[in-house]
Amino acid sequence: MAFGNNVGSPSTYISQDSGDAILKEFYSDDGVTSEIYVDNPWLALIPKKEDVTGRFYNQPVHVSPGQGRSRSFTQAQNASNTAAGSNSTFTTGEALYDFQVKKVENHAVANIASQLIAESSSSRGAFLDMVRLIADGQLQNIANDTAQSVYRTADMSKGVVGGSVAGTTLTFANPADAINFSLGAWLDFSATNSGTSTTFASTASAYCQIVAIDQVGGTATVAFSSGTNTLTANSVAVGNFIYQSGDKSLGMNGFLDWIPYGGVTSADSFQGVNRSNSPVQLAGSYLDGTGGNLEETLEAAIANVVRFGGKLTHFLMSPAQYRQLAQAQGAKVQLMNVMATPQIGFKGIQVVGHSSGPVVCLPDRNCPAGLIAGVNRETWKLISVGKVVHTWQDDGKVWLRSTTSSGMEIRFYSLANVVCKEPRSNVNIKVNPLV
């Protein structure tokens, strides 16, 4: 197959094969990886394990050693082989838990119409400019979603309905959440942020779409494809959770799943583990920072994690929280460079709260506005089959013929999840959302 009219010099004509070669060069695994890490600090910083095949990734967490210690030898011997609460069969008295983490899919498809291909096919530069305009948009789309997912729960709600639902104006209860959505997005809504049920779910024949969005004011105008064109008429209510269409309960298990605020209940079940037997060791700690000085809150979080036997390396927060911290520190601000890769780095503020060393605070636009994530970078892994985001080319082609329209498409794909091997070295800090 050739693209466009075959006119002009054959040396500049873009065929399907030469077009595919150009795209393989530009959308190589390394090229895609560099694109998705820029401006996404936590996604860039998490250590990667890119060879995880099989259905589950088993992550053992050692909660406590065997309890074979006593000033009485008989008691020490009696207790040495008793494992309390462990779900692992490979113990001799130790409390060892095995998290069974399943990888989850994510897709982004860039469609390029035949007319655009034809009109740019006589020039490599024009062809690449045209394709990049469309494909880079979808690459950024899946990059943004992945960068948000490493913070969020598998439920993948990215906002809550506030204000009035009488018309077509969708008001975000937290205005900062408007940045999680883009013009043209299809939406689903649900009364709960658990399970799979929805009050409204977009389909190919009946959908809710954002037709205008004000990310400063925290509102969006939506249109429904059929029926009465208001939120309330389509069963959307104040307090409903908002989703990108098709995402509900299919996301990665990010920070908020592994380190839940408020701890866990006795009926907890997460990746095959009931974490209530030892919640700090299995689900991390939490701290209410809504009523205090931000610097003091961070120092308290450092001290708490040290008390539990852990150590923090970074605080990740929204840009607004970071600005507040910088203003509070004033002339005391100590900036530090943090390198995620040899090519990608970030600048952060140092906080010293304990003899364990400084903790670096980084602004991340993907961090939920009401959260400061205190993490130990080395206790996390982003597991995947291949690069966390890559072009789908198992048949050897990046450039695919569209099966539903006249044109070609590029598919970006991810099969990945987040794993924490030492939850006690992480803390969930609740803060007042800032815009």
Side-chain angles (χ1 to χ4, degrees):
M1 173 186 169
F3 300 152
N5 279 326
N6 192 357
V7 295
S9 169
S11 64
T12 61
Y13 177 65
I14 307 295
S15 68
Q16 183 177 3
D17 287 342
S18 59
D20 193 67
I22 292 171
L23 295 177
K24 280 184 178 177
E25 174 187 330
F26 193 79
Y27 292 106
S28 67
D29 281 351
D30 288 340
V32 169
T33 297
S34 295
E35 286 290 317
I36 71 168
Y37 290 167
V38 173
D39 298 326
N40 296 320
W42 184 220
L43 179 60
L45 284 169
I46 300 179
K48 314 300 186 298
K49 185 172 177 58
E50 299 169 340
D51 58 353
V52 180
T53 56
R55 188 178 180 191
F56 293 105
Y57 179 83
N58 286 342
Q59 177 59 64
V61 173
H62 191 210
V63 171
S64 66
Q67 296 302 301
R69 192 221 60 79
S70 174
R71 294 184 183 276
S72 162
F73 174 75
T74 301
Q75 287 299 91
Q77 197 171 50
N78 289 340
S80 64
N81 290 317
T82 304
S86 175
N87 77 332
S88 174
T89 58
F90 302 102
T91 65
T92 55
E94 295 84 359
L96 185 66
Y97 290 76
D98 291 329
F99 289 95
Q100 293 186 318
V101 184
K102 189 175 182 179
K103 301 175 294 295
V104 295
E105 289 187 305
N106 203 357
H107 309 266
V109 179
N111 288 296
I112 299 95
S114 296
Q115 181 178 350
L116 285 176
I117 295 168
E119 290 174 349
S120 63
S121 65
S122 63
S123 164
R124 173 188 169 111
F127 170 80
L128 194 53
D129 286 347
M130 176 273 298
V131 172
R132 285 186 60 185
L133 177 68
I134 298 170
D136 280 6
Q138 288 306 321
L139 176 57
Q140 191 61 56
N141 199 350
I142 195 170
N144 288 345
D145 183 74
T146 304
Q148 292 165 4
S149 298
V150 293
Y151 284 103
R152 296 177 181 272
T153 69
D155 179 69
M156 281 307 294
S157 64
K158 294 183 179 179
V160 175
V161 178
S164 170
V165 291
T168 60
T169 298
L170 172 63
T171 301
F172 294 93
N174 179 359
D177 287 338
I179 66 168
N180 298 328
F181 298 90
S182 300
L183 183 66
W186 285 17
L187 303 180
D188 296 343
F189 300 88
S190 177
T192 65
N193 61 349
S194 60
T196 59
S197 64
T198 57
T199 54
F200 178 91
S202 291
T203 65
S205 58
Y207 53 85
C208 174
Q209 186 174 32
I210 293 178
V211 295
I213 187 163
D214 179 359
Q215 293 173 332
V216 175
T219 62
T221 303
V222 299
F224 291 85
S225 59
S226 60
T228 305
N229 203 20
T230 67
L231 289 159
T232 189
N234 287 276
S235 303
V236 179
V238 172
N240 277 185
F241 295 90
I242 312 168
Y243 303 83
Q244 182 93 6
S245 179
D247 279 356
K248 182 164 176 56
S249 299
L250 295 177
M252 295 196 293
N253 299 106
F255 179 89
L256 290 173
D257 264 342
W258 283 95
I259 317 294
Y261 185 83
V264 297
T265 67
S266 60
D268 179 67
S269 178
F270 178 69
Q271 310 290 22
V273 174
N274 184 331
R275 298 173 289 178
S276 64
N277 289 336
S278 190
V280 170
Q281 285 72 28
L282 295 171
S285 58
Y286 59 94
L287 184 66
D288 186 350
T290 58
N293 174 276
L294 182 54
E295 289 179 274
E296 293 175 356
T297 296
L298 299 181
E299 290 167 359
I302 295 170
N304 281 353
V305 169
V306 170
R307 179 165 63 94
F308 298 135
K311 178 183 177 180
L312 294 175
T313 59
H314 299 82
F315 286 117
L316 297 140
M317 59 191 71
S318 70
Q321 293 289 347
Y322 184 83
R323 180 191 69 228
Q324 185 182 63
L325 176 63
Q327 291 173 341
Q329 289 205 330
K332 298 184 299 178
V333 167
Q334 299 181 58
L335 296 177
M336 183 175 182
N337 289 319
V338 178
M339 300 305 296
T341 72
Q343 296 79 31
I344 299 174
F346 307 94
K347 193 177 292 292
I349 296 173
Q350 279 193 148
V351 174
V352 180
H354 196 272
S355 59
S356 61
V359 179
V360 181
C361 304
L362 293 171
D364 191 336
R365 63 198 174 101
N366 304 293
C367 183
L371 167 71
I372 293 178
V375 303
N376 183 317
R377 175 189 181 186
E378 299 307 317
T379 67
W380 294 86
K381 283 193 291 282
L382 183 54
I383 61 170
S384 59
V385 179
K387 297 292 184 181
V388 65
V389 174
H390 55 274
T391 53
W392 180 260
Q393 49 177 305
D394 280 14
D395 58 357
K397 295 288 187 181
V398 174
W399 192 229
L400 307 173
R401 188 194 300 268
S402 176
T403 58
T404 58
S405 62
S406 176
M408 306 294 287
E409 66 183 35
I410 300 172
R411 299 175 184 174
F412 297 102
Y413 181 72
S414 176
L415 183 60
N417 210 335
V418 178
V419 176
C420 182
K421 67 178 181 180
E422 190 179 295
R424 69 176 181 176
S425 285
N426 301 271
V427 58
N428 182 327
I429 305 173
K430 182 171 70 172
V431 291
N432 295 315
L434 300 175
V435 179

